[in-house]
Amino acid sequence: MGDKGFASTRAARGRLVAVGAVALLLAGCGGGSDAEAAALDKGQVASVLPDAKAVPGWRNYMKPEAQKPVPEYPPPVCVARTKEQRETACAPVTSWGTAAFVRKADATTLNFWTLAYKDEKAADAAYDVLIKWYGGDRVGQNAEKVEIGSPGAEREANRAAVGTMAGPATIAQVRVGTTVLGISTGTTGKAVVPDKDVKAFAAMFAERAQQAQSGEKPSAALPGS
């Protein structure tokens, strides 16, 4: 699934606006404990997604937005290999949202998505399905693991030298309580988003999800904001 820039994924009452790249190839601060995890509503899912203030140095080209899933159109960021797996990972989604950024200097994109579930059991089962799609070499051939520390309850990140944007790309997935979080980067250039940056994205995003599930307003942000 090498990140293709993750264009807009907006569904409006039965109408799904094209996802462009997130057909995504169609392809630790995790803070707190899972005991505090709560199901998030649509507004909370939107609040978990980073805004421009939380990601300094990146220009927001798709503002954080969340929505309820439309039965006929599963969230485009929820992708699985089989119908049965889609039933496990996508059908139970209660709300989902996306946000996207770009770094103009080198045409690098940074994308975040959140899938919310009614409880941790559903989120855990969904994570196991989704990582079979987003994990391993889905980001591109000969992908290698990226060390991102220990955000959330489960996590994995991989990088490939050539993604669908023709340059280096990464995909990370993290489960925090009742949510499954996704992060991807991609570029048409040659600049690699460093491991430390991918780690920072994952830690910040996981902390925002934990804050929301603990009843707080998400405030975690990258240094410099």
Side-chain angles (χ1 to χ4, degrees):
M1 149 189 158
D3 179 10
K4 196 177 178 182
F6 186 61
S8 172
T9 61
R10 305 174 187 239
R13 297 184 181 181
R15 183 172 65 87
L16 180 66
V17 177
V19 195
V22 116
L24 275 167
L25 196 115
L26 248 185
C29 218
S33 76
D34 280 352
E36 301 174 338
L40 303 183
D41 60 26
K42 186 177 75 170
Q44 290 173 309
V45 169
S47 73
V48 167
L49 295 161
D51 56 16
K53 292 182 179 179
V55 193
W58 295 81
R59 179 173 63 82
N60 189 205
Y61 77 84
M62 194 176 84
K63 294 181 179 180
E65 182 177 17
Q67 51 211 309
K68 293 285 187 179
V70 177
E72 297 80 12
Y73 301 100
V77 291
C78 188
V79 188
R81 297 178 184 276
T82 67
K83 180 179 179 180
E84 291 72 21
Q85 290 178 336
R86 285 192 293 276
E87 284 297 313
T88 297
C90 307
V93 172
T94 56
S95 293
W96 65 281
T98 59
F101 301 80
V102 66
R103 192 166 55 192
K104 190 174 182 179
D106 57 5
T108 298
T109 62
L110 170 62
N111 313 294
F112 296 92
W113 60 96
T114 301
L115 294 165
Y117 297 84
K118 65 178 182 179
D119 54 35
E120 293 181 59
K121 182 178 180 180
D124 186 18
Y127 178 95
D128 292 343
V129 167
L130 293 169
I131 201 60
K132 293 176 182 177
W133 180 266
Y134 286 118
D137 63 357
R138 176 59 61 177
V139 67
Q141 290 187 339
N142 302 314
E144 297 182 351
K145 296 289 185 184
V146 175
E147 175 52 54
I148 59 171
S150 56
E154 301 174 86
R155 81 292 302 171
E156 182 176 323
N158 296 277
R159 171 185 290 109
V162 180
T164 57
M165 290 180 71
T170 63
I171 300 176
Q173 180 172 289
V174 180
R175 182 179 72 82
V176 179
T178 60
T179 61
V180 176
L181 314 175
I183 306 164
S184 67
T185 69
T187 182
T188 56
K190 297 182 179 180
V192 173
V193 174
D195 288 10
K196 64 180 180 62
D197 288 358
V198 179
K199 182 178 182 178
F201 297 148
M204 176 269 295
F205 201 14
E207 185 174 1
R208 292 178 70 91
Q210 183 63 60
Q211 289 172 326
Q213 290 173 52
S214 297
E216 304 171 29
K217 179 179 179 179
S219 59
L222 296 177
S225 58

